[in-house]
Amino acid sequence: MAAPAWSERVRELLKRMNNFHEPGSSRDQCLPFLVAGQRVGSVPAPVAQRLQGYPAVFSVCPGPGHVELHPELASHEQRTAAVGQVLTELRDLGAFPCLREWRDERYEVMPRFCDPPLFSMERAATALLGVRCYGTHLNGYTWRRGRPCMWLGRRAPTKPTYPGRLDNLAAGGIAAGLGVMETLVKECQEEACIPPTLAAKARPVGTISYTYEDHRGIFPECQFVFDLELPEDFEPRVGDGEMQEFYLWGLDEVKNAIASGDFKPNCALVALDFLIRHGHIQPHHEPHYAELVEGLHRTL
C-alpha cells in the first residue's frame, strides 16, 4: 500500500492535536473549573473525584456541575499556596502520571491572557485542571543562494517530553512573572545562543491554538509565534543543553519533516504555519488548504 499523501498525514496530525474537539473525547464528561466565578479550565471526571478529598480547597458539585476553588481563598497568594499544597500531596502519592513530570516551574491561571492572573500552579499539573497554557516559538530563517531556509533544533535525549524530536529554533512556556517578549528573548539566548539584541528583532506574526488530551490530562495551549530573519553567517549554538544540535534545511525538507512524525507535534504546527504564511503552501496546489489553516487556530 502506498504511503499516505502529505496532506493526509498533516491532517491526521492536526486532528490529534485537536482531539479534545472530536467525538469520543472526554469533553462532555469534564466539569468546568471556576475561580472567583470565572471559568479557567475543564476537569476530567477522575480528577474531580480525587479533588473531593480536599474540600477546604476544591468545591466539587457533581453532574452536571463544576469544580470551584473555595471562595474563602480570595487572593492570588492564598489560592497559589492552597493549590500547591494539594498538588504536592498528589505528586507524593503518585496519583496522576503527569505529576511525574514535575518541573518546579509555575504557570499563571486566568480566563484570557489579557486578564489578571487568579493564581499560579505547577506547570506539570495544568493538564489535571485543563487550564490554558501559553508559550513562545521562534521560526529562525535565512537565505542560501537566493532561497529561504529554516533553522531547526533537535531536542536533547534527556528532555522529559519528546526527547530527540525536531523543534523550532527556540521555544518555551511563559512562566509566572514573565511576559511574551521576555520569554522569547530568554529562550533564544538559553537554547540557541542568539544574542538578545538579535532576538529582539523577531517579528510577532500571530498565534496558533489547539486542545488535545492524552493519558496525562487535557492540554489547551496557545503559542505566540515569531519570525526572525537571521544573517547568512549566523549559526546557532547549543546553550543550556535542551537541544543537541541544529540544522539548516530548505523549506521542502521542512515540509516533508512536518508529515514524517519526527517533529515535536506542536512545533510541527508552528513550522506549518510558517510555510503557509510565506506562500510555500498555496491554496491552488493544496486542496485541503483551508482545513490546514483552520486546524492551527482551534479554541475552546
Side-chain angles (χ1 to χ4, degrees):
M1 181 180 294
W6 180 89
S7 61
E8 183 179 335
R9 296 197 297 271
V10 174
R11 288 164 65 207
E12 282 298 316
L13 168 65
L14 289 167
K15 187 175 181 178
R16 291 195 303 274
M17 292 299 289
N18 287 290
N19 66 5
F20 192 62
H21 300 279
E22 295 293 322
S25 77
S26 70
R27 183 174 181 177
D28 292 340
Q29 286 72 50
C30 290
L31 296 180
F33 177 42
L34 307 179
V35 180
Q38 303 178 76
R39 182 168 184 172
V40 296
S42 300
V43 183
V47 177
Q49 184 176 11
R50 194 67 181 255
L51 295 180
Q52 288 179 330
Y54 302 92
V57 179
F58 293 96
S59 300
V60 181
C61 303
H66 62 270
V67 177
E68 186 171 15
L69 278 190
H70 199 287
E72 290 188 4
L73 300 171
S75 70
H76 183 286
E77 292 76 15
Q78 289 175 317
R79 296 170 187 141
T80 298
V83 172
Q85 186 174 359
V86 171
L87 295 175
T88 300
E89 182 174 324
L90 292 173
R91 178 199 64 187
D92 294 344
L93 292 171
F96 297 103
C98 67
L99 300 180
R100 293 197 290 267
E101 300 171 7
W102 196 277
R103 302 185 186 213
D104 285 320
E105 180 182 3
R106 289 185 289 111
Y107 279 2
E108 299 284 15
V109 178
M110 53 274 192
R112 300 172 301 169
F113 190 76
C114 60
D115 294 327
L118 297 170
F119 71 101
S120 63
M121 64 180 294
E122 162 60 32
R123 171 179 180 172
T126 55
L128 294 180
L129 304 178
V131 301
R132 184 171 301 280
C133 298
Y134 298 87
T136 63
H137 285 247
L138 179 75
N139 293 300
Y141 70 100
T142 188
W143 300 82
R144 289 291 187 273
R145 301 182 185 89
R147 305 186 70 174
C149 298
M150 181 182 285
W151 280 105
L152 299 174
R154 188 168 294 281
R155 295 164 68 83
T158 53
K159 290 283 287 182
T161 56
Y162 302 100
R165 297 281 194 95
L166 289 174
D167 204 327
N168 306 121
L169 180 55
I174 301 175
L178 295 181
V180 176
M181 199 65 194
E182 189 178 359
T183 299
L184 180 76
V185 171
K186 178 178 77 73
E187 297 296 338
C188 283
Q189 187 170 29
E190 290 177 355
E191 294 186 351
C193 296
I194 300 173
T197 53
L198 180 55
K201 296 179 181 179
R203 294 187 304 111
V205 293
T207 63
I208 65 167
S209 300
Y210 48 86
T211 305
Y212 68 93
E213 64 176 350
D214 61 21
H215 68 285
R216 298 169 297 168
I218 301 166
F219 297 82
E221 297 185 351
C222 175
Q223 309 297 345
F224 292 89
V225 180
F226 291 78
D227 288 354
L228 176 61
E229 183 173 353
L230 294 160
E232 289 193 32
D233 60 354
F234 175 83
E235 291 192 11
R237 293 181 289 108
V238 173
D240 59 7
E242 294 202 6
M243 299 287 192
Q244 56 179 302
E245 57 187 336
F246 294 97
Y247 314 115
L248 183 61
W249 285 358
L251 298 191
D252 282 338
E253 288 180 276
V254 175
K255 181 180 176 182
N256 290 333
I258 289 170
S260 71
D262 196 21
F263 259 106
K264 181 174 182 277
N266 67 339
C267 298
L269 303 194
V270 173
L272 174 64
D273 175 68
F274 180 93
L275 297 185
I276 291 172
R277 288 185 292 99
H278 286 258
H280 197 73
I281 298 172
Q282 299 187 355
H284 52 282
H285 291 145
E286 173 50 62
H288 299 289
Y289 182 92
E291 184 180 344
L292 299 184
V293 174
E294 180 182 316
L296 294 170
H297 304 97
R298 297 284 301 273
T299 58
L300 290 174

